[in-house]
Amino acid sequence: MSVCVAPSILSADFAELARDIACVAPETDLLHVDVMDGHFVPNLTIGPPVVASLHNHTRAYLDCHLMMTNPGEYLERFRDAGASGCSVHVEIGGTDELIDQMEELQLDVGLAVNPDTPFDAFRPYLGRIDLLLLMTVFPGFGGQAFMAEVLPKVESSAEEIRAQGFRARIEVDGGIDVQTAPRCADAGASVFVAGSAIFGQSDPLAAAAAIRRAAGGGDGGARPWHSRRL
Ligand code: DX5
Ligand code: ZN
């Protein structure tokens, strides 16, 4: 399965977003956009207006990670702003309805899972989603240490997806760098979100390429991610 790199703009310079995303464009399969509401996580970031601005500056796939208690009230606005796919957290409940809503809006369907949420809590939805976003840190902040204890859950998810012939791909998010990406790849992940390991480096483009290589993706650079919308 091809390796996808998803730079997380959380670690970019918010006053220089267009510059920063252009810098990593050749290695950007998906652009990861962390939306935090101050309730689901103890931090606030960005919403649909910034997604709309990003959409005007890039053709990249906009992968919106909604760390929110009430994403259902905003999905349409994210879609209208140019989101390609949205991931909602399974911990907030109402997952089937949220998936229905994303399907109706023709958004790619993502389901995000905290490090301490067990496999059985999201297993029933694996056949309905495009992206399973397994958090390898507790969401809320960039720059945290990778939690290796999530790896068995990556393995169980990959096994189930393979056994059932589901389309979902596994995205890992939190503490991903050249050391941790290969461990996640071995466990079955194929989409790698990285914030500080890309934008926190002196050469972000080279850093993104290094993560791709470390995960087994070779030197080919970014390839467009499949999407229902593109
Ligand atoms: C954390 C966010 C991540 C974050 C990852 O809540 O969901 O996407 O940007 O940052 P790093 O790669 O620095 O751990
Ligand atoms: Zn994220």
Side-chain angles (χ1 to χ4, degrees), residues 51-188:
V51 174
S53 297
L54 289 169
H55 190 56
N56 286 335
H57 281 274
T58 177
R59 301 197 57 185
Y61 181 104
L62 298 177
D63 170 36
C64 297
H65 176 191
L66 307 185
M67 287 160 272
M68 308 172 64
T69 52
N70 58 343
E73 291 169 40
Y74 292 90
L75 284 170
E76 189 166 1
R77 273 183 263 182
F78 280 106
R79 194 279 312 268
D80 292 346
S84 314
C86 286
S87 295
V88 299
H89 269 266
V90 71
E91 295 82 11
I92 59 171
T95 302
D96 272 315
E97 292 73 18
L98 288 166
I99 293 174
D100 290 343
Q101 212 184 327
M102 287 188 272
E103 283 176 347
E104 271 160 38
L105 291 166
Q106 293 193 299
L107 283 163
D108 280 352
V109 176
L111 189 61
V113 177
N114 281 346
D116 59 353
T117 298
F119 178 61
D120 284 343
F122 60 88
R123 181 186 204 157
Y125 310 108
L126 287 175
R128 298 196 63 195
I129 64 178
D130 299 294
L131 203 58
L132 175 66
L133 172 48
L134 293 178
M135 295 304 302
T136 42
V137 298
F138 283 98
F141 301 92
Q144 302 181 74
F146 176 76
M147 295 172 66
E149 56 266 47
V150 179
L151 288 171
K153 198 163 66 180
V154 178
E155 279 169 9
S156 323
S157 304
E159 211 174 284
E160 177 78 357
I161 289 167
R162 212 172 20 241
Q164 302 289 339
F166 293 148
R167 69 183 185 279
R169 292 184 62 169
I170 299 176
E171 180 177 40
V172 282
D173 182 9
I176 300 300
D177 58 21
V178 289
Q179 269 86 42
T180 57
R183 299 171 69 189
C184 295
D186 286 347

